[in-house]
Amino acid sequence: MVAEMIHTASLVHDDIIDESLFRRGNPSVFSVWGQSKGAFTGDYILGAASVSLAKLRHNRVMRIMSQILEDLVQGEFMQLGTKSNEDERFNHYIEKSYRKTASLLANSCQAVAVLSGTTESKIKMAFEYGKNLGISFQLIDDSLDYLSSEKEMGKPTGADLKLGLATAPVLFAAHEFPRLNTLIMRRFSRDGDAEEALHLVRKLIV
């Protein structure tokens, strides 16, 4: 339950940062209540999660789950930047995806393993399982932004491009279409950049 509450709070905050009006086809908290109430809602959910976590009275599990929150914030800061070195971009993307998405699954799996009283080797395996599952999820989710329709996704497609974000499909397509590197560096900020990038990525993968 604590992991789900952290996840929900992060989505509420994400929609405020991205000014997203919909979440999986439904109006977002941000669109219904606005920025201030939306932020307070996310904060309240995090507070309730912290209280539930404290009730476990398990210091190691509290440290593990607290790491998720640190990673979430670091991931958001990483998302604000773009690597000028093309060879570093994918590693930056994977690290950002770990902190924003996979850390939740990795550390939640690790915490459950710790609570079960299993061996350290199995605790590490649980962490790695959650980490790989989370990164795989993010890769698929980012790909669906180019492969699915707005109706199927429950949100506008190509949204990441409009936010200036170069996800895995764009990074892979840049190897085939070097023109994308220019658009990536200026974070698709000029008129027509997002549309051009969307066309090139779909030209490669569809």
Side-chain angles (χ1 to χ4, degrees), residues 74-142:
Q74 287 183 344
E76 286 293 344
F77 277 113
M78 289 182 72
Q79 188 164 276
L80 295 175
T82 301
K83 290 290 183 181
S84 57
N85 188 319
E86 297 170 21
D87 296 328
E88 294 179 359
R89 283 183 195 149
F90 191 74
N91 288 335
H92 180 84
Y93 163 80
I94 291 295
E95 180 64 21
K96 183 265 296 181
S97 296
Y98 166 72
R99 293 187 181 278
K100 283 199 65 181
T101 303
S103 174
L104 173 69
L105 291 168
N107 285 296
S108 295
C109 288
Q110 183 183 22
V112 170
V114 168
L115 288 171
S116 76
T118 190
T119 63
E120 288 298 321
S121 63
K122 289 182 179 178
I123 291 172
K124 184 177 179 180
M125 289 171 63
F127 176 88
E128 291 298 327
Y129 168 78
K131 176 182 177 181
N132 290 319
L133 182 65
I135 291 175
S136 298
F137 168 84
Q138 192 61 59
L139 286 166
I140 293 170
D141 190 61
D142 288 341

Side-chain angles (χ1 to χ4, degrees), residues 45-66:
I45 296 171
L46 282 178
S50 298
V51 170
S52 297
L53 187 60
K55 288 179 179 178
L56 291 175
R57 297 182 182 277
H58 197 299
N59 289 337
R60 184 177 180 186
V61 169
M62 290 177 67
R63 289 196 301 271
I64 291 170
M65 296 302 288
S66 297

